[in-house]
Amino acid sequence: MPPQFLLDALQRCIADWQAGTLDAASFDEPVRAGRAGYAALVGVPVESVAMAGNVSGALGLVAAAIPDGSRVAVLAGEFTSTTFPFAAQAARGVTLTELTPDELVREAGNYDVVACSLVQSADGAVLDEEALRAAVTGTETLSVVDVTQAAGWRNLDLAWADVTVAAVYKWLLAPRGTAWMSLSERIAEQMTPHAANWYAGEDPWQSIYGLPLRLAADARRFDTSPAWFSVLGASLTLPWLASLDAAAVHAHTVGLADRLRSQIGLPQRDSAIVSLPIADAAERLQRAGIRASVRAGAVRVGFHLYNTDDDLDRLVDALGADRLGV
């Protein structure tokens, strides 16, 4: 859900658009701020961050750059925007092996590429970040980490990863249409900017017409042209989220999730996402006016900054004690 300050800014921007006074160049500063906000949230250098439209589009550039015959390790049941870009390289001899989380962190260094979400979309399972880091450190393994379900509530320090990527419309609270991706020097040097465009230029407003190719020297050479309203939102929410006390955000979101887990007899887990193993949970929540997603056959709920103890109480009441085993 968007914060009010974002809605206010979007309404002003839409009014300018409707009046014909919107200035395209005015989005350069939001792009800069959104890029810096992502870098701060993920713990990567700002010059390593590229702008894309979505996660799969960003990872498609990475997947196209890995060598023929590469062996890629992924998590079983992984969100397909993380895996499909690599699976689509099969004609070049690229192969994917699905592993359990324990197998992945243990065997990562034996593969050419490991591509995974830090937090799983389906059930909120959190990968052991430090174990993965240890497994790939000092190896030739390319590490690709999707943080779409982690950035915004979880404290991250992923400068060690070759690639990080996140869409802004999930926990980052901005409108859909923008994703950010960080790139290590070794993968950036291998990549071709297949979507090269005017905004990927060193000075975008001087690279609108004519040859020669003149792209930015840093990760901006992989930028797509900005989706105006989305990048405006990202420029506001990402720096704001990065300015918050990360430990307090984590304690609030995971604290609510752990309270729910304790209510329904699930083990505590360091995640703001809870998958409910209750057969009729979706119907009960719908009747109570509570929105939740159904993923991998179970109801999934997530707790963010806007959620309160009252929200949790409503959720538990809607599920009903007869379904909770209490």
Side-chain angles (χ1 to χ4, degrees):
M1 291 170 58
Q4 187 63 46
F5 62 79
L6 167 55
L7 288 178
D8 292 342
L10 278 176
Q11 288 168 351
R12 290 192 297 270
C13 188
I14 291 170
D16 289 342
W17 179 36
Q18 185 178 28
T21 58
L22 192 65
D23 179 12
S26 69
F27 291 96
D28 289 349
E29 175 55 26
V31 169
R32 186 207 65 76
R35 194 188 314 270
Y38 180 79
L41 282 168
V42 181
V44 297
V46 68
E47 63 272 13
S48 75
V49 178
M51 177 176 59
N54 51 50
V55 165
S56 59
L59 291 185
L61 296 178
V62 177
I66 65 176
D68 293 357
S70 291
R71 297 168 302 113
V72 183
V74 301
L75 285 167
E78 177 64 83
F79 189 65
T80 53
S81 288
T82 305
T83 56
F84 275 12
F86 297 94
Q89 307 298 315
R92 300 196 292 113
V94 174
T95 58
L96 275 65
T97 301
E98 290 186 305
L99 302 173
T100 67
D102 288 343
E103 290 171 337
L104 186 80
V105 297
R106 185 174 65 245
E107 302 293 337
N110 297 324
Y111 287 84
D112 301 305
V113 182
V114 57
C116 57
S117 294
L118 183 59
V119 177
Q120 285 296 297
S121 169
D123 61 3
V126 180
L127 194 66
D128 188 334
E129 177 186 336
E130 289 307 312
L132 179 60
R133 177 179 184 174
V136 300
T137 297
T139 73
E140 295 300 315
T141 302
L142 184 76
S143 52
V144 180
V145 184
D146 184 340
V147 296
T148 298
Q149 296 289 353
W153 67 267
R154 188 173 180 84
N155 191 24
L156 302 175
D157 184 10
L158 292 168
W160 57 271
D162 289 291
V163 180
T164 73
V165 65
V168 303
Y169 73 97
K170 295 284 189 176
W171 298 86
L172 298 178
L173 308 178
R176 185 181 177 96
T178 300
W180 299 102
M181 174 173 66
S182 68
L183 301 165
S184 69
E185 289 186 8
R186 69 168 177 168
I187 184 58
E189 290 172 355
Q190 299 176 43
M191 290 168 55
T192 299
H194 292 292
N197 65 94
W198 70 279
Y199 207 82
E202 184 64 47
D203 182 353
W205 295 100
Q206 298 303 317
S207 54
I208 298 176
Y209 302 111
L211 293 171
L213 185 68
R214 45 201 188 276
L215 299 180
D218 60 13
R220 292 183 298 116
R221 67 184 180 274
F222 302 107
D223 277 6
T224 58
S225 181
W228 289 345
F229 304 132
S230 177
V231 82
L232 172 63
S235 76
L236 298 171
T237 59
L238 271 67
W240 174 67
L241 287 166
S243 75
L244 302 178
D245 183 330
V249 172
H250 184 276
H252 174 76
T253 55
V254 176
L256 288 171
D258 275 346
R259 184 180 156 202
L260 174 59
R261 279 186 277 263
S262 68
Q263 291 273 8
I264 62 177
L266 293 177
Q268 301 297 285
R269 173 188 278 181
D270 188 23
S271 178
I273 298 172
V274 183
S275 182
L276 302 174
I278 300 171
D280 60 351
E283 293 78 8
R284 287 184 169 235
L285 296 185
Q286 185 177 26
R287 288 197 298 269
I290 298 174
R291 292 181 57 84
S293 300
V294 177
R295 295 290 184 269
V299 171
R300 180 194 69 185
V301 296
F303 295 94
H304 209 345
L305 292 169
Y306 43 72
N307 290 119
T308 65
D309 287 330
D310 288 342
D311 292 331
L312 180 55
D313 291 339
R314 283 186 60 215
L315 175 63
V316 172
D317 288 344
L319 290 174
D322 59 315
R323 293 298 190 273
L324 303 181
V326 295

